[in-house]
Amino acid sequence: MARVSTYLNFPRNTEEAFNFYKSVFGGEFSGGGIARFKDIPAAEGMPPIDENDKNLIMHIELPILGGHILMGTDAPESMGFKVNFGNNVYINLEPDTRAETKKLFESLSNGGTITMELQVMFWGAYYGSCTDKFGVQWMFNCVEKTE
């Protein structure tokens, strides 16, 4: 089922932030719990993860209000990230099909900047990201296995 969520990037304190949000909204972390950078499988051509970053959060989800999901990640500088106010929030779209994902991705990136081309990721989803011509950041995560 398609859904929309808000994705937050933090410099190194995602766990602290999400424990705070959990204390405010209640509930439990969903989507398989907390995924850490140490859980990323090694890939040829990719540098190893810095020891100081292995326990940081790669992905976390918390249902908040009205079916809305708050998601987040640590964005360590050792991986090329620099979190600033303005680049720390994404609207995450999870369409039902790859065709719909591609259509939305192409439309929203038109006149903007593609930050990651749509591709199948190690967690099995068809994923990509862009910044639209108005500076809004979008993520796409489709779990449909075939087009």
Side-chain angles (χ1 to χ4, degrees), residues 30-77:
S30 61
I34 298 173
R36 300 193 183 272
F37 283 106
K38 65 184 176 187
D39 301 327
I40 298 174
E44 189 175 320
M46 294 298 293
I49 296 171
D50 186 288
E51 283 298 318
N52 295 320
D53 298 339
K54 286 186 174 183
N55 207 40
L56 293 176
I57 292 180
M58 179 185 68
H59 181 77
I60 191 168
E61 299 182 8
L62 180 68
I64 53 174
L65 295 174
H68 192 85
I69 307 292
L70 193 61
M71 297 180 177
T73 189
D74 282 307
E77 289 191 19

Side-chain angles (χ1 to χ4, degrees), residues 120-137:
V120 176
M121 299 302 287
F122 68 87
W123 61 86
Y126 190 51
Y127 175 87
S129 61
C130 68
T131 302
D132 70 23
K133 62 185 174 183
F134 301 104
V136 176
Q137 298 184 114

Side-chain angles (χ1 to χ4, degrees), residues 5 79 81 85 94 113 115 125:
S5 57
M79 294 181 180
F81 299 106
F85 288 109
E94 297 183 73
T113 305
T115 49

